[in-house]
Amino acid sequence: MFKRNVLAVSMTLAALCSAQAAFADVNGGGATLPQPLYQTAGVLTAGFAPYIGVGSGNGKAAFLNNDYTKFVAGVTNKNVHWAGSDSKLTQAELDAYAANKQAGWGKLIQVPSVATSVAIPFNKAGANAVDLSVNQLCGVFSGRLTDWSEITGSGRTGTITVVYRDESSGTTELFTRFLNAKCTEAKKFAVTTTFKDSYGFVQGVSAGTLPVGAVPAVTSQGVMTALNAAEGRVTYMSPDYAATTLAGLDDATKVAKVAGVSPAPANVSVAIAAVQVPSALNVTNQNAWVPTFAATASDTDPSVVAYPTSGYPILGFTNLIFSQCYANADQTAQVRTFFTRHYNLSAFSSNDTAIRNNRFVTLPNTWKTAINDNFLTASSPLSIGNPDVCNTIGRPL
């Protein structure tokens, strides 16, 4: 009887260990812009560890170097399997990964997750809606406009105080990319401060000259906390945080329109509808999978498209970074399951509802189809876990 009991216990422990191995943690984190989405129940599929929001810069560094300490300081016994980033991988980052990591870990996959606006929430009492022209937006965040009375039709007076992300932030990169494209046109408005595309706000302002009294904060939640700490403040923020913290994007006293348009999801859908998927000749180019907006479309890089002339103007994509290959077969299956759910062409049994509830915009079906065809179809050389490519290599368990 004793031997039978020992055997039964051993079999039970073996079964538990097998189950744990089948659902080995798939660790990921990064951008705080999509953090509420990835922390919504059911969005990350079985086996995924909770998403850790640390900013796009830390998320990219964690993935590229398999450095879990970028997620949790001091934790060195865990591996990194994916990242979220609003900041597109640079060519230098792609080249370094290809040279130093790809042979052992497999090629990385960088694809858009959802489309997003960058909203302009503010904390200033008043009955009127705030509608910033592009000129006024440039003026506020450059420090040229310093009083609410300078915002046409706002019906408010008092000092304007800018709150900004004081870390490597994809939200900042999306925002400064827009300012760089649009505020450089503003010399006719006597603007002396211009911007450059940067995921650091201080670095994005010319000569690092911040608006007088600007308040730094870290993480999206930290920015929203700083915004709410004193009246007169204004910031830039992802729509999920703006909506949940400030009672909704349609509340005219909480979130500004830009050029007459609110950051409601429908206004972002209009803007991204015409963005084209990579051509068949370009699908192996990781850079081509993440569209970026600019003042004008590029003649040499099809992923660089012009800012739309209709819809909400400050927009972009938050992206996913995964590996094509994982050393653990169960993790490969878990990643494929997540892709299948996230890029499902039907709203049934997919993440579309959660995406909409977090005020983001689902990718057009053309993009979902392209991602399915290239990264999930078994015959594709880019397919996650393709045995001809991933034989004996992959990101560590």
Side-chain angles (χ1 to χ4, degrees), residues 223-288:
V223 169
M224 298 311 292
T225 300
L227 178 76
N228 290 324
E231 191 171 82
R233 295 183 173 184
V234 62
T235 193
Y236 55 94
M237 182 50 54
S238 60
D240 49 352
Y241 279 93
T244 56
T245 306
L246 297 179
L249 293 178
D250 297 324
D251 184 342
T253 66
K254 301 293 185 180
V255 177
K257 292 181 179 180
V258 177
V261 184
S262 81
N267 294 329
V268 177
S269 292
V270 169
I272 68 165
V275 178
Q276 296 184 348
V277 301
S279 67
L281 296 175
N282 222 15
V283 294
T284 60
N285 179 357
Q286 295 144 320
N287 182 59

Side-chain angles (χ1 to χ4, degrees), residues 120-208:
I120 309 298
F122 61 90
N123 179 11
K124 181 65 177 176
N128 294 2
V130 173
D131 186 351
L132 294 164
S133 68
V134 172
N135 174 31
Q136 290 170 340
L137 180 76
C138 297
V140 167
F141 285 92
S142 68
R144 174 171 55 88
L145 301 184
T146 60
D147 195 282
W148 285 93
S149 63
E150 297 175 274
I151 307 300
T152 306
S154 72
R156 294 165 171 83
T157 60
T159 301
I160 297 173
T161 302
V162 169
V163 179
Y164 66 96
R165 283 283 292 273
D166 191 25
E167 59 186 323
S168 296
S169 159
T171 309
T172 297
E173 183 172 322
L174 294 178
F175 186 53
T176 57
R177 180 175 296 141
F178 176 82
L179 297 178
N180 173 53
K182 298 299 182 179
C183 297
T184 52
E185 303 170 358
K187 288 185 179 179
K188 58 188 175 184
F189 300 123
V191 173
T192 56
T193 299
T194 56
F195 296 84
K196 61 182 179 181
D197 184 342
S198 172
Y199 57 42
F201 187 78
V202 175
Q203 295 80 7
V205 181
S206 66

Side-chain angles (χ1 to χ4, degrees), residues 45 48 326 330-342 375-378 383-386:
T45 47
F48 275 68
Y326 293 86
D330 295 312
Q331 287 182 331
T332 301
Q334 288 156 215
V335 170
R336 289 182 64 87
T337 298
F338 169 71
F339 265 64
T340 300
R341 177 176 175 81
H342 197 67
F375 302 115
L376 290 175
T377 300
S383 180
I384 297 166
N386 185 315

